[in-house]
Amino acid sequence: MKIKQDLSLVSKAWNRYMQEYLYEFVWISRASQAKALALTLLTQFIEGKPSSGHYIRRLHMETPVLMRCATDDIRTILDYAPHLVIYSDHHSVRCTRYSEFIDVRCSPEQMVSVLASSNSKLRRLSLTNYSDDPFPKHLSPLLRRTAANLEYLELSSSSIPLVSGHLFASKSPIVSLPVLQSLKLTLDNTTFAVLAAWDMPNLQNVSVVSSDFGYAGPGFAYFFAAHGKKLHQLELGHSSSLVVEHYLSLRPRPVQQIPLAEWCPNLKEFICSADAEWNWQNPDWIAPHVLLPGHKSLEFIGIRDIDKRLMDDASAFPADVEDEAPFFPLVEQISSLLFNNAFPSLRYIRDLSRASHSMRGGQRPETRILKFWAKILARCGERQVWLEDYRGVNITLRDLKRVGLGGAGSLV
């Protein structure tokens, strides 16, 4: 971006040529940036100049909670950006829930509908629902107009609808997304029930972080019973330990465990968090996630947040950087993935944390961190499973030795 800015200052002609590249990807990280862009677009319109908004292809909004963008600024940007291909709103718009004070142009329905023009080419869409109404109420009309090109859809909600998922699903229109491949949901049980009826023939990848532990409700079951057989990759981003706590607090408790492996028989890749818990019913091993203790066809398991888990476990013994004893539960947890009965087809385990890669391969890595990875590497070798970093590059014994470990004897 700095190079683009420098080139645009060479001359008026260069500035005119660089507009397309300056505005093709707009990343908004605080409210003042959205206001400045909206003012620029309005000023160009008033002065009769060509609008820079025509060059915007990707609009990404990701701000701190206290720096959310004003609704009217975002509406102005959308009005002057008719050629969007990618739109991402990650809880970054400042919306009030008191509808009597909202400009009609900035209502949830209007904010969503403005994205769908007659020649919309949206391929990737990330939306946050700020209304108390279920998402599909104002989402369905938009998706019907953009369905032809939509490949990635991410939906999240800031509140939990009070409407029964089963009742609402029967009234909600069915949406067809013929080329949709990836779906990320941070939603409630009600919306899961609605999405179960949608036509998504090419859906392959699903990521789930449920805001109300919707896996325990019928909506979760409807969705995976309907679409599970098509999935090749599944991510369960909610913490396994929180799931266990919620399960234990239910009265009455569910009669049987959720049969996620049966709903998704063709899974090849699974992504989970390092925050798992000992299963008191099976104390000899730790499943990667309480909802998926085993799968016969799974070939790849990716693990997020290993860096956080290492730092939390190490805080119990902050002084002794040689002793890897605090990492024993995590070693056993990852080793549990190598049990042949649980995952007989497993071939790859990947550490998806960039920070964990830095802890392992930085200038001064702690000895106990290297010993931890040496143990994991040795156990993966016994099972003939590849251990990879976040880039997909193999972690080797030579790498660990090069960054700090001495002879082979210190790896044990």
Side-chain angles (χ1 to χ4, degrees), residues 384-412:
Q384 297 183 337
V385 170
W386 294 101
L387 181 63
E388 300 177 337
D389 63 16
Y390 75 99
R391 303 166 299 176
V393 177
N394 297 333
I395 300 173
T396 66
L397 187 61
R398 181 179 297 178
D399 295 334
L400 299 179
K401 286 183 177 180
R402 184 168 56 246
V403 296
L405 281 178
S410 61
L411 299 179
V412 181

Side-chain angles (χ1 to χ4, degrees), residues 114-217:
V114 74
L115 289 166
S117 60
S118 57
N119 59 345
S120 174
K121 292 182 173 59
L122 274 178
R123 289 190 293 107
R124 296 174 62 90
L125 180 62
S126 301
L127 284 177
T128 299
N129 182 28
Y130 299 97
S131 171
D132 289 330
D133 294 326
F135 217 135
K137 180 178 180 180
H138 48 269
L139 182 64
S140 298
L142 163 68
L143 292 180
R144 284 180 169 177
R145 291 194 291 269
T146 60
N149 302 303
L150 203 60
E151 300 172 358
Y152 174 89
L153 178 62
E154 179 178 350
L155 304 175
S156 60
S157 183
S158 59
S159 62
I160 301 174
L162 301 178
V163 184
S164 168
H166 180 71
L167 295 176
F168 188 78
S170 62
K171 302 177 182 178
S172 180
I174 296 177
V175 176
S176 178
L177 301 171
V179 297
L180 188 74
Q181 297 180 8
S182 300
L183 183 64
K184 183 174 182 179
L185 306 172
T186 310
L187 289 171
D188 50 86
N189 187 56
T190 298
T191 311
F192 268 118
V194 174
L195 297 182
W198 285 12
D199 181 26
M200 298 178 281
N202 288 314
L203 184 65
Q204 297 182 6
N205 314 310
V206 169
S207 176
V208 179
V209 181
S210 180
S211 59
D212 69 337
F213 296 103
Y215 67 91

Side-chain angles (χ1 to χ4, degrees), residues 321-346:
V321 296
E322 301 286 335
D323 184 10
E324 73 274 21
F327 305 139
F328 171 77
L330 186 55
V331 170
E332 294 303 312
Q333 173 186 338
I334 298 178
S335 299
S336 296
L337 305 180
L338 304 172
F339 282 19
N340 191 65
N341 292 338
F343 302 102
S345 302
L346 185 64

Side-chain angles (χ1 to χ4, degrees), residues 215-217 220-221 254 256-261 263 290-293:
Y215 67 91
F220 187 93
Q256 61 181 5
Q257 191 174 17
I258 297 171
L260 193 57
W263 289 336
V290 69
L291 300 184
L292 196 71

Side-chain angles (χ1 to χ4, degrees), residues 51-65:
S51 176
S52 299
H54 286 274
Y55 299 123
I56 300 177
R57 297 295 183 269
R58 179 175 179 180
L59 179 61
H60 182 98
M61 295 174 290
E62 189 170 350
T63 69
V65 174

Side-chain angles (χ1 to χ4, degrees), residues 62-103:
E62 189 170 350
T63 69
V65 174
L66 298 180
M67 295 185 182
R68 288 178 173 172
C69 306
T71 314
D72 53 346
D73 290 336
I74 301 303
R75 175 59 198 263
T76 298
I77 295 171
L78 293 178
D79 284 340
Y80 291 99
H83 303 305
L84 275 179
V85 175
I86 301 175
Y87 177 82
S88 304
D89 168 23
H90 298 274
H91 295 265
S92 299
V93 180
R94 188 172 67 248
C95 289
T96 175
R97 295 191 179 185
Y98 300 100
S99 56
E100 62 267 23
F101 298 110
I102 296 180
D103 183 347

Side-chain angles (χ1 to χ4, degrees), residues 215 242-251 253-254 281:
Y215 67 91
L242 294 177
V243 172
V244 172
E245 292 176 7
H246 179 74
Y247 172 84
L248 294 175
S249 66
L250 292 177
R251 294 291 186 272
R253 293 179 188 171
Q281 294 177 322

